[in-house]
Amino acid sequence: MRRRLTANLGLKVLAFFTAVFMWLVVVNIDDPIAENSYTGVSVTVINEEIVTTTNRTYQIVDNTQVVNVTVRANRSVLNRIKQEDIVAIADMKELSLGTQIPIDVSIPGYRYEKAYTTPGNLQVKIEDEAKNNFPITPTTIGTVREGYVLGELNANPEKVTLRGPKSVIDSISRVVAEADVSGLSEDADIEARLTLYDRNNNVIDQTLLANNLGKEGVSVEVKLYQIENVPVKLDTSMITAAKGYKVSSVSVEPREVSVTGEESALAELDEIKIPAEELKLEDLTERTEQMVEIAPYLPEGVTLVEGTAESVIVTIQIEQPGVRNFEVSTGAITVNNLSEELEISYGTTVDLELQIRGPAETLAVFSTARKVSIDLKNYEAPGTYTVPVAVELPDGCSLVNNVSVNIILEKKSEDEQEE
């Protein structure tokens, strides 16, 4: 038996190695060695206490906390490896040059020849740790329900303690708690998002910062005020016309203003009264406009809604016996002989006032429609001009004063001229 086993031993050993070689050839043909890259693998830092126990902290710089991993293995293995199977670790014990930590990569449960990361080191910045207290400024995003406006905003808590790298702590200019009030129609305490800003109003990354807010986080107490439209009332007792004239009418625009405030204050507000002293105008001979600020006449606890005009315009119409005033919109003026290369506008002028003297029965039925015009025959260049206004009047009637209007002529664009 022994002789049989040892007979032709050399041939048997050769046959064995030939078989192994052939097996390797077949394996490599059917399942060859290959490489595959996996992107976006997060690096985990361990043994951080080496730095943190000495009242220092670190920042990961150059975006090296996320790496690409290249794995060399049989293709069948590579086909089974997923990104989440890869473990990338940077051990703070391996810190070198004060800025670099080698990244070690492993793939538990898989056989592979080689695995490495790009970049190969975690870049860190070691610095002293700092702590500071910051007031929290409440703010909102979104729009509350129609008919309401934001009232008081209060952050809860009012301050936050932040701890982290000294350079980051020192860069904080303001801390904001942002609450979404979209569709809100009643007072509420809303969970908010804490955002940090530097002096240039850039958002600061909070990844390496700790705070004392705990699980409760920060919230914003939002108080809403209802909007009410309140009429403006005028005391006109101190408005007088000159001898031979009379005050024909006094009007105010806007007639109502939008206000908001405490519910109890709004409940007592029926109108906003403009006192006679504010409208002390004497010996008027022509139409007069007076601008009046509203805020001084609002009761305590009531304010104008944001975006509401802060003033009203009081218009006093003055007439003479046998004279009637007519208002003509600039849009109703007939423009004659306007150059085809120019276009006209009236700037801030909205309407003109015509004072026409004549028989009362004639003026009672007179209409200015299509009877007010300007002639631009002599205005051929762009510019700002004061142009006389012509009015076609019935027999027995005349203008009390000559009327003119300011116009702006501008050159048309090439596209407008082609049309």
Side-chain angles (χ1 to χ4, degrees):
M1 182 68 177
R2 184 175 180 181
R3 287 181 179 178
R4 289 181 181 179
L5 292 174
T6 56
N8 301 317
L9 182 60
L11 291 174
K12 291 179 179 177
V13 171
L14 178 61
F16 172 76
F17 282 109
T18 300
V20 170
F21 174 75
M22 293 301 294
W23 179 80
L24 289 173
V25 170
V26 171
V27 167
N28 279 290
I29 291 174
D30 291 343
D31 193 10
I33 297 294
E35 288 188 351
N36 198 8
S37 292
Y38 302 84
T39 60
V41 177
S42 298
V43 179
T44 301
V45 180
I46 62 173
N47 293 316
E48 296 170 294
E49 64 275 7
I50 292 176
V51 172
T52 57
T53 54
T54 58
N55 290 326
R56 295 183 300 165
T57 187
Y58 68 93
Q59 294 183 65
I60 300 174
V61 297
D62 298 335
N63 297 318
T64 54
Q65 69 271 29
V66 177
V67 296
N68 298 331
V69 176
T70 301
V71 181
R72 181 176 175 82
N74 289 104
R75 181 163 293 167
S76 61
V77 176
L78 294 176
N79 289 339
R80 290 184 286 119
I81 294 176
K82 300 176 182 177
Q83 181 208 35
E84 54 266 30
D85 297 325
I86 301 172
V87 178
I89 291 177
D91 191 340
M92 195 65 80
K93 290 180 179 179
E94 304 297 325
L95 178 67
S96 62
L97 303 176
T99 60
Q100 297 182 353
I101 309 173
I103 300 173
D104 179 61
V105 63
S106 62
I107 314 171
Y110 294 92
R111 295 183 61 182
Y112 53 93
E113 284 192 3
K114 186 179 181 181
Y116 60 93
T117 65
T118 305
N121 295 303
L122 188 72
Q123 302 291 330
V124 296
K125 178 183 178 183
I126 307 295
E127 59 180 307
D128 292 337
E129 186 178 68
K131 181 174 71 172
N132 205 350
N133 296 322
F134 297 90
I136 299 176
T137 302
T139 187
T140 62
I141 59 172
T143 305
V144 299
R145 185 171 294 180
E146 187 175 355
Y148 295 87
V149 294
L150 289 171
E152 296 178 10
L153 299 177
N154 295 298
N156 183 24
E158 296 179 349
K159 295 182 179 180
V160 61
T161 302
L162 295 171
R163 186 179 72 254
K166 187 175 186 303
S167 62
V168 178
I169 295 296
D170 290 345
S171 71
I172 299 173
S173 174
R174 59 191 177 98
V175 177
V176 172
E178 191 176 78
D180 188 349
V181 297
S182 299
L184 196 66
S185 60
E186 60 184 1
D187 297 349
D189 196 13
I190 302 174
E191 183 178 346
R193 180 169 62 93
L194 200 68
T195 306
L196 315 180
Y197 293 92
D198 64 15
R199 292 170 183 81
N200 295 320
N201 211 36
N202 298 315
V203 176
I204 297 173
D205 183 10
Q206 301 180 54
T207 305
L208 294 176
L209 298 178
N211 61 54
N212 65 334
L213 296 177
K215 294 182 180 179
E216 292 78 14
V218 61
S219 62
V220 173
E221 182 184 350
V222 181
K223 190 167 187 178
L224 293 187
Y225 291 149
Q226 205 158 359
I227 295 174
E228 286 195 13
N229 295 322
V230 181
V232 178
K233 298 296 182 181
L234 309 174
D235 184 341
T236 62
S237 60
M238 299 182 76
I239 299 175
T240 61
K243 187 175 181 179
Y245 295 82
K246 68 174 182 178
V247 177
S248 62
S249 66
V250 180
S251 61
V252 61
E253 279 295 328
R255 296 178 181 179
E256 293 182 334
V257 293
S258 297
V259 297
T260 188
E262 295 286 350
E263 186 177 350
S264 57
L266 288 178
E268 297 179 1
L269 183 62
D270 297 324
E271 60 186 21
I272 299 171
K273 298 177 181 178
I274 307 299
E277 293 77 9
E278 186 70 58
L279 299 172
K280 187 177 180 181
L281 300 166
E282 301 174 332
D283 298 328
L284 300 180
T285 60
E286 60 183 10
R287 170 181 164 174
T288 302
E289 290 185 348
Q290 179 85 348
M291 185 173 290
V292 179
E293 289 189 12
I294 290 296
Y297 305 109
L298 296 177
E300 186 176 351
V302 176
T303 60
L304 293 170
V305 173
E306 185 177 355
T308 300
E310 297 179 356
S311 302
V312 294
I313 297 177
V314 178
T315 302
I316 302 103
Q317 298 285 4
I318 303 296
E319 290 185 357
Q320 287 180 277
V323 175
R324 184 176 173 191
N325 295 341
F326 294 85
E327 286 191 356
V328 180
S329 167
T330 51
I333 298 174
T334 301
V335 179
N336 298 319
N337 299 313
L338 174 63
S339 170
E340 294 182 355
E341 297 180 354
L342 301 175
E343 59 184 2
I344 186 173
S345 63
Y346 296 93
T348 58
T349 304
V350 177
D351 52 46
L352 304 177
E353 182 184 51
L354 306 180
Q355 289 187 326
I356 303 175
R357 178 180 285 110
E361 61 274 14
T362 302
L363 295 179
V365 296
F366 175 69
S367 171
T368 60
R370 299 183 181 181
K371 292 182 175 145
V372 179
S373 64
I374 56 176
D375 189 347
L376 302 183
K377 179 175 60 177
N378 298 322
Y379 303 87
E380 299 179 348
T384 301
Y385 304 96
T386 300
V387 179
V389 174
V391 182
E392 184 182 338
L393 297 173
D395 293 339
C397 294
S398 63
L399 287 174
V400 173
N401 298 308
N402 292 327
V403 182
S404 60
V405 62
N406 294 325
I407 67 169
I408 302 170
L409 296 180
E410 295 178 307
K411 195 172 182 64
K412 288 182 178 179
S413 65
E414 292 183 3
D415 291 341
E416 290 176 318
Q417 290 186 39
E418 289 176 1
E419 292 178 0

